[in-house]
Amino acid sequence: MPTARESLLDAAYAALAARPWAGVRMVDVAAEAGVSRQTLYNEFGSKEGLARALVRRETEGYIAGVTRALAEPGAGPGGAGGDVEARVVAAAAWTVRAARTNPLVRAALTGCWSERLPAPAGGIPGRRGPYPGGASNQPGARADGLPPGPTDLVSRFSDCAMAALEADWPKENLPELGTACATAARLTLSYVVAPAEPEDLTRQLHRAFAHAVHRT
């Protein structure tokens, strides 16, 4: 059974799908979650606190999906780059799918926050001024930290890939794997920003890892 906190975050996400964040009312979120408004304020402190927690949950859920995709056995041929490449392709496909279906993940990946979206107080990474959606600098507003921006998420994708795949790569050639993972992360983000056919992304990732293999 979900906790009150999870139920409130679920209700807030559902409300966001129906209306802009500025039009989401705390009393409605609490009612949808089946808890009192006081419980909501006890959990998050303010609407800005709810926004921070929601953005954080969605971006962490995205990273968890990347990690799961990288942990699955790939369908590629054996040898250096085969199974490894297939697992990175799976993580890239998850990223593109998550960005397509989750507006908060897409905003975090691209840095493009529309007025419909909530975002924590303190400013969008790389941008001056407050977040859209009515967030302001409240005492303790940075308690959860800024949400990850595109650079952060690209780095985390690359780091997750490296951590998951290095055991299957020759130790003396780990620098080549690191370069391939970083390239894969940037390529994946480029397909989120400017969507193209999935086969194009797969081909680009194949080239990145084929280059790494040839250098080993």
Side-chain angles (χ1 to χ4, degrees), residues 8 26-27 36-47:
L8 285 164
M26 296 287 270
V27 64
S36 69
R37 188 168 60 171
Q38 186 59 51
T39 298
L40 192 160
Y41 281 100
N42 288 344
E43 286 287 344
F44 302 106
S46 65
K47 189 175 180 181

Side-chain angles (χ1 to χ4, degrees), residues 14 20 31 37 39 49 60 66 75 79 81 92 107 118 131 134 160-161 177 202 209:
R37 188 168 60 171
T39 298
E60 290 302 319
V66 169
Y131 280 97
C160 286
L177 176 62
T202 301
F209 279 88

Side-chain angles (χ1 to χ4, degrees), residues 80-147:
D83 179 71
V84 165
E85 177 189 322
R87 290 153 68 188
V88 172
V89 168
W94 159 254
T95 297
V96 173
R97 186 165 62 252
R100 185 184 303 123
T101 59
N102 189 319
L104 294 176
V105 170
R106 179 174 179 82
L109 282 166
T110 63
C112 297
W113 294 84
S114 79
E115 295 297 327
R116 286 188 55 88
L117 299 178
I124 295 170
R127 183 189 303 178
R128 293 182 178 179
Y131 280 97
S136 60
N137 288 312
Q138 301 286 341
R142 296 177 64 87
D144 292 334
L146 289 176

Side-chain angles (χ1 to χ4, degrees), residues 31-76:
E32 179 64 25
V35 303
S36 69
R37 188 168 60 171
Q38 186 59 51
T39 298
L40 192 160
Y41 281 100
N42 288 344
E43 286 287 344
F44 302 106
S46 65
K47 189 175 180 181
E48 286 77 16
L50 177 61
R52 288 196 304 275
L54 181 60
V55 173
R56 178 65 62 185
R57 184 186 74 163
E58 298 307 309
T59 53
E60 290 302 319
Y62 155 66
I63 291 295
V66 169
T67 301
R68 285 193 301 271
L70 290 165
E72 291 293 325

